[in-house]
Amino acid sequence: MTHEFLIDIFKSAVDAVDPYNLILRKLNIKNGILKLFDENESFELDLNNFDKIIVIGIGKASAKMALGVENVFKGYDFEGLVVTKYGHTEKLTKFEVLQAGHPVPDENSIRGAEKIINLLKNVNDKTFVLTLVSGGGSALVSAPREGFTLADKQDITGKLLERGADIGEINCVRKHLSRMKGGGYLKLLKDSFSLNLILSDVIGDRLDTIASGLTYFDSTTFHDALKICVKYNIEGKVKEYFKKGALGGAEETLKEKDIKSSRFKNVIIGSNYHALLGAKKKAKQLGLSPLILTDELFGEAREVAKVLLSFARGFKKYHKGYDCLISGGETTVTIKGSGKGGRNQEMALAFLSELTKNDEGIYFLSAGTDGNDGPTDAAGAMASYEILKRAYEVGLNPDDFLQNNDSYRFFEQVKALVKTGPTNTNVCDVQIVLLK
Amino acid sequence: MTHEFLIDIFKSAVDAVDPYNLILRKLNIKNGILKLFDENESFELDLNNFDKIIVIGIGKASAKMALGVENVFKGYDFEGLVVTKYGHTEKLTKFEVLQAGHPVPDENSIRGAEKIINLLKNVNDKTFVLTLVSGGGSALVSAPREGFTLADKQDITGKLLERGADIGEINCVRKHLSRMKGGGYLKLLKDSFSLNLILSDVIGDRLDTIASGLTYFDSTTFHDALKICVKYNIEGKVKEYFKKGALGGAEETLKEKDIKSSRFKNVIIGSNYHALLGAKKKAKQLGLSPLILTDELFGEAREVAKVLLSFARGFKKYHKGYDCLISGGETTVTIKGSGKGGRNQEMALAFLSELTKNDEGIYFLSAGTDGNDGPTDAAGAMASYEILKRAYEVGLNPDDFLQNNDSYRFFEQVKALVKTGPTNTNVCDVQIVLLK
């Protein structure tokens, strides 16, 4: 039964961040009054004050969010546009849908940005703009600043990655080459009133990071971007442009002081923590006593597995009060082998490979909320002493598979993969430990 | 103040497993009745039933345990022998003290074993043997079986290590080449009554692992040892001896069925968990709300740091109830640089290097209870956003030091080392997270 419990709890975590459900649960309209309910804030808006409503969805989950909006806005006119990843669309009747490249932007990413800019051209204080933001947004819409092309942006990103720049440095540079990122999108909204509903796929839920901070101010400057060019030996027109910007000759990204906070609202309607709360609720329904440990898990997957196992052992011995440990986040895998797998399956395999007979009664699952762990058709996998025994019975040694980063082929054979199919949501990964 | 709290809590953890204090707290004699108090069991023994008392200490903490015994056994005659590591002795008046090699056994390790065998030669059911076991015991006494030398044992251990054998396999082989390990010591005690007080330096506190299981049965056999020789291509007299043993021609290690449980008692009087309880008690006295997460932490130190930080972030956000997270165990460091440090300092440095402004209010300490982290004079180090700022102010980049495994030189300069001096105890490491 315990393996089934793991699956049930994980599925409840995913359900809790289903974009369609989230919109329906948190947003409704009665007598022209739009209401938003959220744990952290509630909010009302009289739609009668506006002449025009525009709904724009950007990101991998935006079509499913838009489907919710169609339902909530039944009987209301609006202009709708969704830019999502190829294949991530839904049957929408009131939205124009554009599918674009992810993780590598393509020509449709340029077209997506152009369409958005066009749609927002004539907004004014009588316009209400509802924006649906989710992960992937930064690749799906691409608006290079004048004088630069998509190829220029890709070229500099590639160079920075090669030369060891971190994600913060790369984002600083990209924001300063974009008309959308780093709050550029918010600038386009001018005096309109805007509500930005955000599904976070970023650990820590930083608004300046989700979809490269479309709807939030940027704390980095041209000066910072220039220093990064110097640090990584980047010459040419990008550096010249940053130099010009640092001297006041180009438009800065959106700054905190320039935000009119009365005219817009950013609300994170779904995040990894919401998924963990869904898991917690289900665990309680199953009669368990759950404890959420973190929604910011990070590190090398196979090492993280050891620490989670050490906590499982600790709680099994000393905290009879808690028998379900829930965590979430996003780990990394340093690939050394040639096998097939993903960070969740690798974590489950590393967990499994450390188990001994003393660990009977410890059950583990790690899986991605998007239903897609690495280049596989699984969301993740499970580990337990029973599964380890099953592996030995059929002559499989987990260490061999772990060494070859071949977690998928291992779990396929011991029938411990977690499969959900694509979920059209994404709030990173979830780990569940059950103690019996 | 918070950094001082970290130090106070850590010192209380160490105090809680001070061998001298442990003996005094848990053992006393009144009117000839020896009493042992422990959380898990209490126990009484009428010393008047015995003609002779022998006290043997084996391990790095044995001299300090013996000092406690001298105090408890004031007015009682006993024969006492302590075998400890060079420099780990105390001013003992009723014990013969022999100092021997650790971690590499030397001629004194052979002499130590001989002395023990000699001392126990004439024990009978009128003899009470009190044994004080602590980490290091397996190197400090060495009694190769007939036909083998210390060099033989070292040779095979080296070969097995080289060829990738794990610690379980190496211990199986070593136990079957030793007259002491794998319960061999317990056999020497014959019909005497024995009480074995054990200070555990092993994660999980397995009695068959601490000091190579001197006082506990062994679940591995000659057959297992032979299979290991085949697996790692070991030929020669060791393999021949195991073959002979597997056919019944040599004496097996002590087996569970051969133990007379009425004649001996193993009691773990101190372990990592006891240290964590000491930390917890102190934290409460300081007005904090502590939670012990695990006493079995393991994994690559710099990755473990990330997971502990993710938990700190999670608890800071969602569990206002707990503001002090305590864990313990023993991590590893894969050395790639040429710097100076230890696993605790490396963990603290990795923790520090991940901190951002959002992490203000998170304070971390990792340190070894033996007061000696790697080849340094520090027990460990601390991390916090304040310390990170101090580093930046003096132009130090934690990432550079981390890359070079040079944690000691980093923390020396930012004055965040934890120093206790040698503590003559050892129950692995302690990590403390404080949340403000």
Side-chain angles (χ1 to χ4, degrees), chain B residues 58-95:
Chain B
I58 305 171
K60 287 193 281 177
S62 61
K64 215 168 184 184
M65 290 170 95
L67 198 64
V69 169
E70 283 195 352
N71 192 319
V72 172
F73 278 73
K74 238 174 241 163
Y76 289 82
D77 276 339
F78 63 85
E79 285 191 65
L81 171 67
V82 158
V83 187
T84 191
K85 182 177 173 173
Y86 294 105
H88 281 51
T89 189
E90 303 277 341
K91 272 188 193 139
L92 295 167
T93 56
K94 300 177 82 176
F95 283 86

Side-chain angles (χ1 to χ4, degrees), chain A residues 171-191:
Chain A
N171 280 341
C172 168
V173 166
R174 290 202 292 202
K175 284 177 180 177
H176 284 88
L177 290 175
S178 167
R179 287 194 288 160
M180 287 283 216
K181 297 177 171 67
Y185 177 84
L186 211 56
K187 286 188 193 173
L188 297 173
L189 298 178
K190 286 170 246 168
D191 290 329

Side-chain angles (χ1 to χ4, degrees), chain B residues 237-248:
Chain B
K237 68 176 179 178
V238 169
K239 186 182 169 188
E240 292 310 311
Y241 176 70
F242 289 168
K243 204 180 278 179
K244 191 172 122 193
L247 295 168

Side-chain angles (χ1 to χ4, degrees), chain A residues 59-65 82-92 97 99-100 102 135 140 370 372 422-426:
Chain A
K60 287 193 280 176
S62 61
K64 215 167 184 185
M65 291 169 94
V82 158
V83 187
T84 191
K85 181 176 174 174
Y86 294 106
H88 282 52
T89 187
E90 303 276 342
K91 274 190 191 138
L92 295 167
V97 179
Q99 300 182 54
H102 182 276
L140 294 169
D370 61 357
N372 174 222
T423 62
N424 271 8
T425 189
N426 180 19

Side-chain angles (χ1 to χ4, degrees), chain B residues 7 43 55 80 93 197 202 215 227 243-244 293 304 314 379 388 395:
Chain B
I7 301 269
F43 162 80
V55 185
T93 56
L197 302 182
V202 168
T215 64
K227 280 200 288 188
K243 204 180 278 179
K244 191 172 122 193
L293 294 172
V304 173
L388 181 63

Side-chain angles (χ1 to χ4, degrees), chain A residues 394-421:
Chain A
V394 296
L396 300 181
N397 180 359
D399 290 333
D400 296 342
F401 287 83
L402 187 58
Q403 209 170 345
N404 195 30
N405 301 112
D406 205 14
S407 47
Y408 181 82
R409 288 203 188 85
F410 177 87
F411 285 115
E412 197 180 26
Q413 292 180 73
V414 298
K415 301 194 178 11
L417 287 170
V418 176
K419 289 190 183 182
T420 58

